[in-house]
Amino acid sequence: MPVSVTLTRTPEGGERWVRDFGGRRFASRLDAGQGRNTHMVVERFGPAAYAQALVSDGGADGGTVRLVLRQWTLLGLPLPLWLAPRSDATETAEPTPDGERFRFDVRISHPLAGLIVHYRGWLDRG
């Protein structure tokens, strides 16, 4: 299925990501973590926020980057990780003749609800 992703800078310096899967859209906001989330990326979906570490496999070509959930909150209240959705998200970058291609594979599930969403593909940046 064709997917489009629109990124918009926020006034605070973060990004708003709007993903459109054949007319079904969902949005999130990404910001650099602050305080105890320093050095992490915080992604917000409505009232939930997920602080994720970017972990590289250290490959010579940039390798694979994984997003590893370290903390989450709902309405600003910290919740235990065992209640959190599970995220298995990876990204790799590779050069192309016109710029760069980012490959991604994102799987989100919950121990009680099962698979929530799984999508993979690439984004070209020229």
Side-chain angles (χ1 to χ4, degrees):
M1 148 181 326
V3 175
S4 67
V5 179
T6 305
L7 287 93
T8 309
R9 286 258 182 222
T10 65
E12 301 81 15
E15 297 175 338
R16 178 172 163 77
W17 287 52
V18 178
R19 301 152 183 95
D20 187 321
F21 296 86
R24 292 183 173 230
R25 301 172 71 189
F26 76 95
S28 67
R29 178 181 159 158
L30 280 80
D31 293 290
Q34 298 178 4
R36 69 185 270 178
N37 295 327
T38 298
H39 306 297
M40 289 192 248
V41 173
V42 177
E43 188 164 13
R44 291 175 173 79
F45 295 91
Y50 302 89
Q52 303 168 86
L54 301 172
V55 180
S56 172
D57 71 2
D61 61 349
T64 299
V65 173
R66 292 193 171 282
L67 295 168
V68 179
L69 182 63
R70 299 290 192 215
Q71 177 184 325
W72 75 302
T73 62
L74 186 62
L75 299 170
L77 301 171
L79 295 171
L81 281 177
W82 63 269
L83 280 176
R86 306 296 188 253
S87 173
D88 183 14
T90 59
E91 178 187 294
T92 57
E94 59 191 46
T96 66
D98 299 325
E100 202 166 25
R101 174 170 283 177
F102 295 93
R103 295 190 180 276
F104 57 87
D105 190 344
V106 178
R107 178 186 300 265
I108 299 172
S109 62
H110 192 274
L112 299 176
L115 182 65
I116 297 169
V117 65
H118 181 206
Y119 59 95
R120 62 180 167 238
W122 68 89
L123 296 172
D124 286 328
R125 185 170 84 176

